[in-house]
């Protein structure tokens, strides 16, 4: 719901799924896989490449007037090789 006094041009929801336990099946504390970005840039050249982080950013609403609300549902499939998933979400209003 737009609680403000102005129209919101676009509302986006960023969903980030991180494969946890992809090495040992059990990750504790600060042992999360941290990609350097290098593997993600060039890893797709390998047929065995399996990304460990997936990010989707669906648009939930456009031109949301003051007091107006929109219902939404997001479906996000993740690869079967993920052993467990940690989920992070952020919302952006532009």
């Amino acid at each position: 719901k737009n609680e403000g006094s102005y129209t919101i041009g676009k509302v986006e929801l960023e969903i980030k799924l991180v494969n946890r336990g992809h090495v040992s099946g059990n990750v504790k504390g600060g042992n999360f896989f941290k990609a350097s970005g290098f593997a993600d840039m060039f890893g797709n050249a390998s047929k065995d490449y399996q990304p460990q982080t997936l990010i989707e950013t669906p648009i939930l609403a456009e031109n949301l007037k003051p007091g107006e609300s929109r219902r939404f549902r997001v479906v996000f499939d993740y690869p079967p090789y993920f052993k467990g998933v940690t989920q992070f979400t952020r919302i952006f209003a532009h």
Side-chain angles (χ1 to χ4, degrees):
K1 181 175 183 178
N2 182 353
E3 300 275 334
S5 312
Y6 301 97
T7 299
I8 299 173
K10 183 169 36 172
V11 179
E12 297 176 298
L13 175 68
E14 180 185 86
I15 303 168
K16 179 178 183 180
L17 300 181
V18 179
N19 185 16
R20 59 185 171 102
H22 69 282
V23 176
S24 66
N26 186 14
V27 174
K28 297 182 186 209
N31 294 337
F32 281 104
F33 173 78
K34 292 181 177 145
S36 66
F38 185 79
D40 285 335
M41 265 181 29
F42 299 105
N44 289 331
S46 168
K47 65 180 177 184
D48 296 327
Y49 175 70
Q50 295 181 329
Q52 301 302 311
T53 302
L54 301 174
I55 299 175
E56 290 284 330
T57 311
I59 296 172
L60 303 181
E62 291 184 301
N63 299 319
L64 195 62
K65 307 260 187 273
E68 188 179 11
S69 64
R70 300 266 170 84
R71 295 178 64 140
F72 66 91
R73 179 182 303 205
V74 177
V75 178
F76 194 116
D77 294 328
Y78 58 92
Y81 61 84
F82 273 31
K83 298 293 182 200
V85 176
T86 300
Q87 173 181 285
F88 302 93
T89 56
R90 295 189 305 173
I91 195 159
F92 299 97
H94 310 276

Coordinates of all heavy atoms in Angstrom, one line a residue:
K1 N 0.8 -1.2 0.0 CA 0.0 0.0 0.0 C 0.9 1.2 0.0 O 1.9 1.3 0.7 CB -0.9 0.0 1.2 CG -1.8 1.2 1.3 CD -2.8 1.1 2.4 CE -3.7 2.3 2.4 NZ -4.7 2.2 3.4
N2 N 0.5 2.2 -0.8 CA 1.2 3.5 -0.9 C 0.7 4.3 0.3 O -0.4 4.9 0.3 CB 1.0 4.2 -2.2 CG 1.8 5.5 -2.3 OD1 2.4 5.9 -1.3 ND2 1.8 6.1 -3.5
E3 N 1.5 4.4 1.3 CA 1.2 5.2 2.5 C 1.5 6.7 2.4 O 1.2 7.5 3.3 CB 1.9 4.6 3.8 CG 1.6 3.2 4.0 CD 0.3 3.0 4.9 OE1 0.0 3.9 5.6 OE2 -0.3 1.9 4.7
G4 N 2.2 7.1 1.3 CA 2.6 8.4 1.2 C 1.6 9.3 0.5 O 0.5 8.9 0.2
S5 N 2.1 10.5 0.1 CA 1.3 11.5 -0.5 C 1.5 11.6 -2.0 O 0.8 12.4 -2.7 CB 1.5 12.9 0.1 OG 1.5 12.9 1.5
Y6 N 2.4 10.9 -2.5 CA 2.8 11.0 -4.0 C 2.7 9.7 -4.6 O 2.8 8.6 -4.0 CB 4.3 11.5 -4.1 CG 4.5 12.8 -3.4 CD1 5.0 12.9 -2.1 CD2 4.1 14.0 -4.1 CE1 5.2 14.2 -1.5 CE2 4.3 15.2 -3.5 CZ 4.8 15.3 -2.2 OH 5.0 16.5 -1.6
T7 N 2.5 9.7 -6.0 CA 2.5 8.5 -6.8 C 3.9 7.8 -6.8 O 4.9 8.5 -7.0 CB 2.0 8.8 -8.2 OG1 0.7 9.3 -8.1 CG2 2.0 7.5 -9.1
I8 N 3.9 6.5 -6.6 CA 5.2 5.8 -6.8 C 5.2 5.2 -8.2 O 4.3 4.5 -8.6 CB 5.2 4.6 -5.7 CG1 5.2 5.2 -4.3 CG2 6.5 3.8 -5.9 CD1 5.1 4.2 -3.2
G9 N 6.3 5.5 -8.9 CA 6.4 5.1 -10.3 C 6.5 3.6 -10.4 O 5.9 3.0 -11.3
K10 N 7.3 2.9 -9.6 CA 7.6 1.5 -9.7 C 7.9 0.9 -8.4 O 8.7 1.5 -7.7 CB 8.6 1.2 -10.8 CG 8.9 -0.2 -11.1 CD 9.8 -0.5 -12.2 CE 10.9 0.4 -12.5 NZ 11.8 -0.1 -13.6
V11 N 7.4 -0.3 -8.1 CA 7.7 -1.0 -6.9 C 8.3 -2.3 -7.3 O 7.6 -3.1 -8.0 CB 6.5 -1.2 -5.9 CG1 6.9 -2.0 -4.7 CG2 5.9 0.1 -5.6
E12 N 9.5 -2.6 -6.9 CA 10.2 -3.9 -7.2 C 10.6 -4.6 -5.9 O 10.9 -4.0 -4.9 CB 11.5 -3.6 -8.0 CG 11.3 -2.9 -9.3 CD 12.6 -2.6 -10.0 OE1 13.4 -1.8 -9.4 OE2 12.8 -3.1 -11.0
L13 N 10.5 -5.9 -6.0 CA 10.9 -6.8 -4.9 C 12.1 -7.6 -5.4 O 12.0 -8.4 -6.3 CB 9.8 -7.7 -4.5 CG 10.1 -8.8 -3.5 CD1 10.3 -8.1 -2.1 CD2 9.0 -9.8 -3.4
E14 N 13.3 -7.4 -4.7 CA 14.5 -8.2 -5.0 C 14.5 -9.4 -4.2 O 14.4 -9.4 -2.9 CB 15.7 -7.4 -4.8 CG 17.0 -8.2 -5.1 CD 18.3 -7.5 -4.8 OE1 18.7 -7.6 -3.6 OE2 18.8 -6.8 -5.6
I15 N 14.5 -10.6 -4.8 CA 14.6 -11.9 -4.1 C 15.9 -12.5 -4.4 O 16.3 -12.7 -5.6 CB 13.5 -12.8 -4.5 CG1 12.1 -12.2 -4.3 CG2 13.6 -14.1 -3.7 CD1 11.0 -12.9 -4.9
K16 N 16.7 -12.8 -3.4 CA 18.0 -13.4 -3.6 C 18.0 -14.8 -2.9 O 17.8 -14.8 -1.7 CB 19.1 -12.5 -3.0 CG 20.5 -13.0 -3.1 CD 21.5 -12.0 -2.6 CE 22.9 -12.4 -2.7 NZ 23.8 -11.4 -2.2
L17 N 18.3 -15.8 -3.6 CA 18.4 -17.2 -3.0 C 19.8 -17.6 -3.0 O 20.5 -17.5 -4.1 CB 17.5 -18.2 -3.8 CG 16.0 -17.9 -3.9 CD1 15.4 -19.0 -4.7 CD2 15.4 -17.8 -2.5
V18 N 20.3 -18.0 -1.9 CA 21.7 -18.5 -1.8 C 21.7 -19.9 -1.4 O 21.1 -20.3 -0.4 CB 22.5 -17.6 -0.7 CG1 23.9 -18.1 -0.6 CG2 22.5 -16.2 -1.1
N19 N 22.4 -20.8 -2.1 CA 22.5 -22.2 -1.8 C 23.4 -22.3 -0.6 O 24.5 -21.9 -0.5 CB 23.2 -22.9 -3.0 CG 23.2 -24.4 -2.8 OD1 22.6 -25.0 -1.9 ND2 24.0 -25.1 -3.6
R20 N 22.8 -22.8 0.5 CA 23.6 -23.0 1.7 C 23.9 -24.5 1.8 O 23.0 -25.4 1.6 CB 23.0 -22.5 2.9 CG 21.6 -23.0 3.2 CD 21.0 -22.3 4.4 NE 19.6 -22.7 4.5 CZ 19.2 -23.6 5.5 NH1 20.0 -24.1 6.3 NH2 17.9 -23.9 5.5
G21 N 25.1 -24.9 2.3 CA 25.4 -26.3 2.4 C 25.7 -26.9 1.1 O 25.7 -28.2 1.0
H22 N 26.1 -26.2 0.1 CA 26.4 -26.7 -1.2 C 27.7 -27.6 -1.2 O 27.8 -28.4 -2.1 CB 26.4 -25.6 -2.3 CG 27.6 -24.7 -2.2 ND1 27.7 -23.7 -1.2 CD2 28.8 -24.7 -2.8 CE1 28.8 -23.1 -1.3 NE2 29.5 -23.7 -2.3
V23 N 28.6 -27.4 -0.3 CA 29.8 -28.2 -0.2 C 29.7 -29.3 0.7 O 29.8 -30.5 0.3 CB 31.0 -27.3 0.2 CG1 32.2 -28.1 0.3 CG2 31.2 -26.1 -0.8
S24 N 29.3 -29.1 1.9 CA 29.3 -30.2 2.9 C 27.9 -30.6 3.3 O 27.7 -31.6 4.0 CB 30.0 -29.7 4.2 OG 29.2 -28.6 4.8
G25 N 26.9 -29.8 2.8 CA 25.5 -30.1 3.2 C 25.1 -29.5 4.5 O 24.0 -29.5 4.9
N26 N 26.1 -28.8 5.1 CA 25.8 -28.1 6.4 C 26.7 -27.0 6.6 O 27.9 -27.1 6.8 CB 25.9 -29.1 7.5 CG 25.5 -28.5 8.9 OD1 24.8 -27.5 8.9 ND2 25.8 -29.2 9.9
V27 N 26.2 -25.8 6.5 CA 27.0 -24.6 6.6 C 26.6 -23.9 8.0 O 25.4 -23.8 8.2 CB 26.7 -23.6 5.5 CG1 27.5 -22.3 5.7 CG2 27.2 -24.2 4.2
K28 N 27.6 -23.5 8.7 CA 27.3 -22.9 10.0 C 27.9 -21.5 10.1 O 29.0 -21.3 9.5 CB 27.9 -23.7 11.2 CG 27.2 -25.1 11.2 CD 27.8 -25.9 12.4 CE 27.2 -27.3 12.3 NZ 27.0 -28.0 13.5
G29 N 27.3 -20.6 10.8 CA 27.9 -19.3 11.1 C 28.3 -18.6 9.9 O 27.5 -18.3 9.0
G30 N 29.6 -18.1 9.8 CA 30.0 -17.3 8.8 C 30.6 -18.1 7.6 O 31.4 -17.5 6.8
N31 N 30.3 -19.3 7.5 CA 30.9 -20.1 6.4 C 30.2 -20.1 5.1 O 30.4 -20.9 4.2 CB 31.0 -21.6 6.8 CG 31.9 -21.8 8.0 OD1 32.8 -21.0 8.2 ND2 31.7 -22.9 8.7
F32 N 29.3 -19.1 4.9 CA 28.6 -19.0 3.6 C 29.5 -18.8 2.5 O 30.5 -18.1 2.6 CB 27.6 -17.8 3.7 CG 26.4 -18.0 4.4 CD1 26.2 -17.5 5.7 CD2 25.4 -18.8 3.9 CE1 25.0 -17.8 6.4 CE2 24.2 -19.1 4.5 CZ 24.0 -18.6 5.8
F33 N 29.2 -19.4 1.4 CA 29.9 -19.2 0.1 C 29.8 -17.8 -0.3 O 28.8 -17.2 -0.4 CB 29.3 -20.2 -0.9 CG 29.9 -20.0 -2.3 CD1 31.1 -20.5 -2.6 CD2 29.2 -19.3 -3.3 CE1 31.7 -20.4 -3.9 CE2 29.8 -19.1 -4.5 CZ 31.0 -19.6 -4.8
K34 N 31.0 -17.2 -0.6 CA 31.0 -15.8 -1.1 C 31.7 -15.8 -2.4 O 32.9 -16.0 -2.5 CB 31.8 -14.9 -0.1 CG 31.1 -14.8 1.2 CD 31.8 -13.9 2.2 CE 31.0 -13.7 3.4 NZ 31.7 -13.6 4.6
A35 N 30.9 -15.7 -3.5 CA 31.5 -15.7 -4.8 C 32.3 -14.4 -5.0 O 31.9 -13.3 -4.6 CB 30.3 -15.7 -5.8
S36 N 33.4 -14.5 -5.7 CA 34.2 -13.4 -6.0 C 33.7 -12.6 -7.1 O 34.2 -11.5 -7.4 CB 35.6 -13.8 -6.3 OG 35.6 -14.6 -7.5
G37 N 32.8 -13.1 -7.9 CA 32.3 -12.4 -9.1 C 33.0 -12.9 -10.3 O 32.5 -13.0 -11.4
F38 N 34.3 -13.3 -10.1 CA 35.1 -13.8 -11.3 C 34.5 -15.1 -11.8 O 34.3 -15.3 -13.0 CB 36.5 -14.0 -10.8 CG 37.4 -14.4 -11.9 CD1 37.9 -13.5 -12.8 CD2 37.8 -15.8 -12.1 CE1 38.7 -13.9 -13.8 CE2 38.6 -16.1 -13.1 CZ 39.1 -15.2 -14.0
A39 N 34.1 -16.0 -10.9 CA 33.5 -17.3 -11.3 C 32.2 -17.1 -12.0 O 31.8 -17.8 -12.9 CB 33.4 -18.2 -10.1
D40 N 31.4 -16.1 -11.4 CA 30.1 -15.9 -12.0 C 30.2 -15.2 -13.4 O 29.4 -15.5 -14.3 CB 29.3 -14.9 -11.1 CG 28.7 -15.7 -9.9 OD1 28.6 -16.9 -10.0 OD2 28.5 -15.0 -8.9
M41 N 31.3 -14.4 -13.6 CA 31.5 -13.8 -14.9 C 31.9 -14.8 -16.0 O 31.4 -14.8 -17.1 CB 32.6 -12.7 -14.9 CG 32.0 -11.4 -14.6 SD 33.2 -10.0 -14.6 CE 34.6 -10.5 -15.5
F42 N 32.8 -15.7 -15.6 CA 33.4 -16.6 -16.6 C 32.9 -18.1 -16.4 O 33.2 -18.9 -17.2 CB 34.9 -16.6 -16.6 CG 35.4 -15.2 -16.9 CD1 35.9 -14.4 -15.9 CD2 35.4 -14.7 -18.2 CE1 36.4 -13.1 -16.2 CE2 35.8 -13.5 -18.5 CZ 36.3 -12.6 -17.5
G43 N 32.2 -18.4 -15.3 CA 31.8 -19.7 -15.0 C 30.8 -20.3 -16.0 O 30.8 -21.5 -16.2
N44 N 30.0 -19.5 -16.7 CA 29.0 -20.0 -17.6 C 29.7 -20.7 -18.8 O 29.0 -21.4 -19.6 CB 28.1 -18.9 -18.1 CG 27.2 -18.4 -17.0 OD1 26.9 -19.2 -16.1 ND2 26.9 -17.2 -17.0
A45 N 31.0 -20.5 -19.1 CA 31.6 -21.1 -20.2 C 31.7 -22.6 -19.9 O 31.8 -23.4 -20.9 CB 33.0 -20.5 -20.4
S46 N 31.7 -23.1 -18.7 CA 31.8 -24.5 -18.4 C 30.4 -25.1 -18.3 O 29.5 -24.5 -17.8 CB 32.4 -24.6 -17.0 OG 32.3 -26.0 -16.5
K47 N 30.3 -26.3 -18.9 CA 29.0 -26.9 -18.9 C 28.6 -27.4 -17.5 O 27.4 -27.7 -17.3 CB 29.0 -28.1 -19.9 CG 29.9 -29.2 -19.6 CD 29.9 -30.3 -20.6 CE 30.9 -31.4 -20.3 NZ 31.0 -32.4 -21.2
D48 N 29.6 -27.6 -16.6 CA 29.3 -28.0 -15.3 C 29.1 -26.9 -14.3 O 28.9 -27.1 -13.1 CB 30.5 -28.8 -14.7 CG 30.7 -30.1 -15.6 OD1 29.7 -30.7 -16.0 OD2 31.9 -30.5 -15.7
Y49 N 29.0 -25.7 -14.8 CA 28.9 -24.5 -13.9 C 27.5 -24.5 -13.3 O 26.5 -24.7 -13.9 CB 29.0 -23.2 -14.7 CG 28.8 -22.0 -14.0 CD1 29.6 -21.5 -12.9 CD2 27.6 -21.2 -14.2 CE1 29.3 -20.4 -12.2 CE2 27.3 -20.1 -13.5 CZ 28.2 -19.7 -12.5 OH 27.9 -18.5 -11.8
Q50 N 27.4 -24.3 -12.0 CA 26.2 -24.3 -11.2 C 26.2 -23.0 -10.3 O 26.9 -23.0 -9.3 CB 26.0 -25.5 -10.4 CG 25.8 -26.8 -11.2 CD 25.6 -28.0 -10.3 OE1 26.1 -28.1 -9.2 NE2 24.9 -28.9 -10.8
P51 N 25.5 -22.0 -10.7 CA 25.5 -20.8 -9.8 C 25.0 -21.1 -8.4 O 24.1 -21.9 -8.3 CB 24.6 -19.8 -10.6 CG 23.7 -20.6 -11.5 CD 24.5 -21.9 -11.8
Q52 N 25.6 -20.5 -7.4 CA 25.2 -20.7 -6.0 C 24.3 -19.6 -5.5 O 23.7 -19.7 -4.4 CB 26.4 -20.8 -5.2 CG 27.3 -21.9 -5.6 CD 26.7 -23.3 -5.6 OE1 26.0 -23.7 -4.6 NE2 26.8 -24.0 -6.7
T53 N 24.1 -18.5 -6.3 CA 23.2 -17.4 -5.9 C 22.3 -17.1 -7.1 O 22.8 -17.0 -8.2 CB 24.0 -16.2 -5.5 OG1 24.9 -16.5 -4.5 CG2 23.2 -15.0 -5.1
L54 N 21.0 -17.0 -6.8 CA 20.1 -16.6 -7.9 C 19.3 -15.3 -7.4 O 18.9 -15.2 -6.2 CB 19.1 -17.7 -8.1 CG 19.6 -19.0 -8.6 CD1 18.5 -20.0 -8.7 CD2 20.3 -18.8 -9.9
I55 N 19.2 -14.3 -8.3 CA 18.5 -13.1 -7.9 C 17.4 -12.8 -9.0 O 17.7 -12.9 -10.2 CB 19.5 -11.9 -7.9 CG1 20.5 -12.1 -6.8 CG2 18.7 -10.6 -7.6 CD1 21.6 -11.1 -6.8
E56 N 16.2 -12.5 -8.5 CA 15.1 -12.1 -9.4 C 14.6 -10.8 -8.8 O 14.5 -10.6 -7.6 CB 14.0 -13.2 -9.4 CG 14.3 -14.4 -10.1 CD 14.3 -14.3 -11.6 OE1 13.5 -13.5 -12.1 OE2 15.0 -15.0 -12.2
T57 N 14.1 -9.9 -9.7 CA 13.6 -8.6 -9.3 C 12.3 -8.4 -10.0 O 12.3 -7.6 -11.0 CB 14.6 -7.5 -9.5 OG1 15.9 -7.9 -9.0 CG2 14.2 -6.2 -8.8
P58 N 11.2 -9.0 -9.6 CA 9.9 -8.7 -10.3 C 9.4 -7.3 -9.9 O 9.6 -6.8 -8.8 CB 9.0 -9.8 -9.8 CG 9.6 -10.2 -8.4 CD 11.1 -10.0 -8.6
I59 N 8.6 -6.8 -10.9 CA 7.9 -5.5 -10.6 C 6.6 -5.8 -10.0 O 5.8 -6.6 -10.6 CB 7.8 -4.7 -12.0 CG1 9.1 -4.3 -12.5 CG2 6.9 -3.5 -11.7 CD1 9.1 -3.7 -13.9
L60 N 6.3 -5.3 -8.9 CA 5.1 -5.6 -8.2 C 4.0 -4.6 -8.5 O 2.8 -4.9 -8.5 CB 5.3 -5.5 -6.6 CG 6.3 -6.5 -6.1 CD1 6.4 -6.3 -4.6 CD2 6.1 -7.9 -6.5
A61 N 4.3 -3.3 -8.8 CA 3.3 -2.3 -9.1 C 4.0 -1.2 -9.9 O 5.2 -0.9 -9.7 CB 2.7 -1.8 -7.8
E62 N 3.2 -0.5 -10.7 CA 3.6 0.7 -11.4 C 2.5 1.7 -11.2 O 1.3 1.4 -11.2 CB 3.8 0.4 -12.9 CG 5.0 -0.6 -13.1 CD 5.3 -0.8 -14.6 OE1 4.4 -1.3 -15.3 OE2 6.4 -0.5 -15.0
N63 N 3.0 3.0 -11.1 CA 2.1 4.1 -10.9 C 1.1 3.9 -9.8 O -0.1 4.1 -10.0 CB 1.4 4.5 -12.2 CG 2.4 4.8 -13.3 OD1 3.4 5.6 -13.1 ND2 2.2 4.4 -14.5
L64 N 1.6 3.6 -8.6 CA 0.8 3.4 -7.4 C 0.4 4.7 -6.8 O 1.3 5.4 -6.3 CB 1.6 2.5 -6.5 CG 0.8 1.8 -5.4 CD1 -0.2 0.8 -5.9 CD2 1.8 1.1 -4.5
K65 N -0.8 5.0 -6.9 CA -1.4 6.3 -6.4 C -1.4 6.3 -4.8 O -1.4 5.2 -4.2 CB -2.8 6.5 -6.9 CG -2.9 6.4 -8.4 CD -2.9 7.8 -9.1 CE -3.1 7.7 -10.5 NZ -2.0 7.5 -11.3
P66 N -1.4 7.5 -4.2 CA -1.5 7.5 -2.7 C -2.7 6.8 -2.2 O -3.8 6.9 -2.8 CB -1.6 9.0 -2.5 CG -1.0 9.7 -3.6 CD -1.3 8.8 -4.8
G67 N -2.5 6.0 -1.2 CA -3.6 5.2 -0.6 C -4.0 3.9 -1.4 O -4.7 3.1 -0.9
E68 N -3.4 3.7 -2.6 CA -3.7 2.6 -3.4 C -2.8 1.4 -3.0 O -1.7 1.6 -2.6 CB -3.5 2.9 -4.9 CG -3.9 1.8 -5.9 CD -3.7 2.2 -7.3 OE1 -3.0 3.2 -7.6 OE2 -4.2 1.5 -8.2
S69 N -3.4 0.2 -3.1 CA -2.6 -1.0 -2.8 C -2.8 -2.0 -3.9 O -3.7 -2.0 -4.7 CB -3.0 -1.6 -1.4 OG -4.4 -2.0 -1.5
R70 N -1.8 -2.9 -3.9 CA -1.8 -4.0 -5.0 C -1.5 -5.3 -4.3 O -0.6 -5.4 -3.4 CB -0.8 -3.8 -6.1 CG -1.0 -2.5 -6.8 CD -1.8 -2.7 -8.1 NE -2.2 -1.4 -8.7 CZ -1.4 -0.7 -9.5 NH1 -0.2 -1.2 -9.8 NH2 -1.9 0.4 -10.0
R71 N -2.2 -6.3 -4.6 CA -1.9 -7.7 -4.2 C -0.9 -8.3 -5.1 O -0.9 -8.0 -6.3 CB -3.1 -8.5 -4.1 CG -4.1 -8.0 -3.1 CD -5.3 -8.9 -3.1 NE -5.0 -10.2 -2.7 CZ -5.7 -11.0 -2.0 NH1 -6.8 -10.6 -1.5 NH2 -5.3 -12.2 -1.7
F72 N 0.0 -9.1 -4.7 CA 1.0 -9.8 -5.5 C 1.3 -11.2 -5.0 O 1.1 -11.5 -3.9 CB 2.2 -8.9 -5.7 CG 3.0 -8.8 -4.4 CD1 4.0 -9.7 -4.1 CD2 2.7 -7.7 -3.5 CE1 4.7 -9.5 -2.9 CE2 3.4 -7.6 -2.3 CZ 4.5 -8.5 -2.1
R73 N 1.9 -11.9 -5.9 CA 2.4 -13.3 -5.6 C 3.6 -13.5 -6.5 O 3.6 -13.1 -7.7 CB 1.3 -14.3 -6.0 CG 1.8 -15.7 -5.7 CD 0.8 -16.8 -6.1 NE -0.4 -16.5 -5.3 CZ -1.3 -17.4 -5.1 NH1 -1.2 -18.6 -5.5 NH2 -2.4 -17.0 -4.4
V74 N 4.7 -14.0 -5.9 CA 5.9 -14.3 -6.6 C 6.2 -15.7 -6.5 O 6.2 -16.3 -5.4 CB 7.1 -13.4 -6.0 CG1 8.4 -13.8 -6.8 CG2 6.7 -11.9 -6.1
V75 N 6.5 -16.4 -7.6 CA 6.9 -17.8 -7.7 C 8.3 -17.8 -8.2 O 8.6 -17.2 -9.2 CB 6.0 -18.6 -8.6 CG1 6.5 -20.0 -8.7 CG2 4.5 -18.5 -8.1
F76 N 9.2 -18.5 -7.4 CA 10.6 -18.5 -7.7 C 11.1 -19.9 -7.7 O 11.2 -20.5 -6.6 CB 11.3 -17.6 -6.7 CG 12.7 -17.2 -7.1 CD1 13.1 -15.9 -7.3 CD2 13.7 -18.2 -7.2 CE1 14.4 -15.6 -7.6 CE2 15.0 -17.9 -7.5 CZ 15.3 -16.6 -7.7
D77 N 11.4 -20.5 -8.8 CA 11.9 -21.8 -8.8 C 13.5 -21.8 -8.6 O 14.1 -20.9 -9.1 CB 11.7 -22.5 -10.2 CG 10.2 -22.7 -10.4 OD1 9.5 -23.0 -9.5 OD2 9.8 -22.6 -11.6
Y78 N 13.9 -22.7 -7.8 CA 15.4 -22.8 -7.7 C 15.9 -24.2 -8.1 O 15.1 -25.2 -8.1 CB 15.8 -22.5 -6.2 CG 15.2 -23.3 -5.2 CD1 15.9 -24.5 -4.7 CD2 14.1 -23.0 -4.5 CE1 15.4 -25.3 -3.7 CE2 13.5 -23.8 -3.5 CZ 14.2 -24.9 -3.1 OH 13.7 -25.7 -2.2
P79 N 17.1 -24.3 -8.5 CA 17.7 -25.5 -9.1 C 17.6 -26.7 -8.1 O 17.8 -26.5 -6.8 CB 19.1 -25.2 -9.4 CG 19.2 -23.7 -9.4 CD 18.1 -23.2 -8.5
P80 N 17.5 -27.9 -8.6 CA 17.4 -29.1 -7.7 C 18.7 -29.4 -7.0 O 18.7 -30.1 -6.0 CB 17.0 -30.2 -8.6 CG 17.4 -29.7 -10.0 CD 17.3 -28.2 -10.0
Y81 N 19.9 -28.8 -7.4 CA 21.1 -29.1 -6.7 C 21.3 -28.2 -5.5 O 22.2 -28.4 -4.7 CB 22.3 -28.9 -7.7 CG 22.5 -27.5 -8.2 CD1 23.1 -26.5 -7.5 CD2 22.0 -27.2 -9.5 CE1 23.3 -25.2 -8.0 CE2 22.1 -25.9 -10.0 CZ 22.8 -24.9 -9.3 OH 22.9 -23.7 -9.8
F82 N 20.4 -27.3 -5.2 CA 20.5 -26.5 -4.0 C 20.2 -27.4 -2.8 O 19.1 -28.1 -2.8 CB 19.5 -25.3 -4.0 CG 20.0 -24.1 -4.6 CD1 20.9 -24.1 -5.7 CD2 19.5 -22.8 -4.2 CE1 21.4 -22.9 -6.2 CE2 20.0 -21.7 -4.8 CZ 20.9 -21.7 -5.8
K83 N 21.0 -27.5 -1.8 CA 20.8 -28.4 -0.7 C 19.9 -27.7 0.4 O 19.3 -28.4 1.2 CB 22.2 -28.8 -0.1 CG 23.1 -29.5 -1.0 CD 22.5 -30.9 -1.3 CE 23.4 -31.6 -2.2 NZ 22.8 -32.7 -2.9
G84 N 19.9 -26.5 0.4 CA 19.1 -25.7 1.3 C 19.2 -24.3 0.8 O 20.1 -23.9 0.1
V85 N 18.2 -23.4 1.2 CA 18.2 -22.1 0.6 C 18.1 -21.1 1.8 O 17.3 -21.2 2.7 CB 17.0 -21.9 -0.3 CG1 16.9 -20.5 -0.8 CG2 17.1 -22.9 -1.5
T86 N 18.9 -20.1 1.7 CA 18.8 -18.9 2.5 C 18.2 -17.8 1.6 O 18.7 -17.6 0.5 CB 20.2 -18.4 3.1 OG1 20.7 -19.5 3.9 CG2 20.0 -17.2 3.9
Q87 N 17.2 -17.1 2.1 CA 16.5 -16.1 1.3 C 16.7 -14.7 1.8 O 16.6 -14.5 3.0 CB 15.0 -16.5 1.3 CG 14.1 -15.5 0.6 CD 12.7 -15.9 0.7 OE1 12.3 -16.8 0.0 NE2 11.9 -15.3 1.5
F88 N 17.0 -13.8 0.9 CA 17.1 -12.4 1.3 C 16.1 -11.6 0.4 O 16.0 -11.9 -0.8 CB 18.5 -11.9 1.1 CG 19.5 -12.6 1.9 CD1 20.2 -13.7 1.3 CD2 19.8 -12.3 3.2 CE1 21.2 -14.4 2.0 CE2 20.8 -13.0 3.9 CZ 21.4 -14.0 3.3
T89 N 15.4 -10.7 1.0 CA 14.4 -9.9 0.2 C 14.6 -8.4 0.5 O 14.9 -8.0 1.7 CB 13.0 -10.3 0.4 OG1 12.7 -10.1 1.8 CG2 12.7 -11.7 0.0
R90 N 14.5 -7.6 -0.5 CA 14.5 -6.1 -0.4 C 13.4 -5.5 -1.3 O 13.2 -6.1 -2.3 CB 15.8 -5.5 -0.8 CG 17.0 -6.0 0.1 CD 18.2 -5.2 -0.1 NE 18.7 -5.3 -1.5 CZ 19.7 -4.6 -2.0 NH1 20.4 -3.8 -1.3 NH2 20.0 -4.7 -3.3
I91 N 12.8 -4.4 -0.9 CA 11.8 -3.8 -1.7 C 12.4 -2.4 -2.1 O 13.0 -1.7 -1.3 CB 10.5 -3.7 -1.0 CG1 9.4 -3.4 -2.0 CG2 10.5 -2.8 0.1 CD1 8.0 -3.8 -1.6
F92 N 12.1 -2.0 -3.4 CA 12.5 -0.8 -3.9 C 11.3 0.0 -4.4 O 10.5 -0.6 -5.2 CB 13.5 -0.9 -5.0 CG 14.8 -1.7 -4.6 CD1 14.9 -3.0 -4.9 CD2 15.8 -1.0 -4.0 CE1 16.1 -3.7 -4.5 CE2 17.0 -1.6 -3.7 CZ 17.1 -3.0 -3.9
A93 N 11.2 1.2 -4.1 CA 10.2 2.1 -4.7 C 10.9 3.2 -5.4 O 11.7 3.9 -4.8 CB 9.3 2.6 -3.5
H94 N 10.5 3.4 -6.7 CA 11.1 4.4 -7.5 C 10.1 5.4 -7.9 O 9.0 5.1 -8.3 CB 11.8 3.8 -8.8 CG 12.6 2.7 -8.5 ND1 14.0 2.8 -8.2 CD2 12.4 1.4 -8.6 CE1 14.5 1.6 -8.1 NE2 13.6 0.7 -8.3

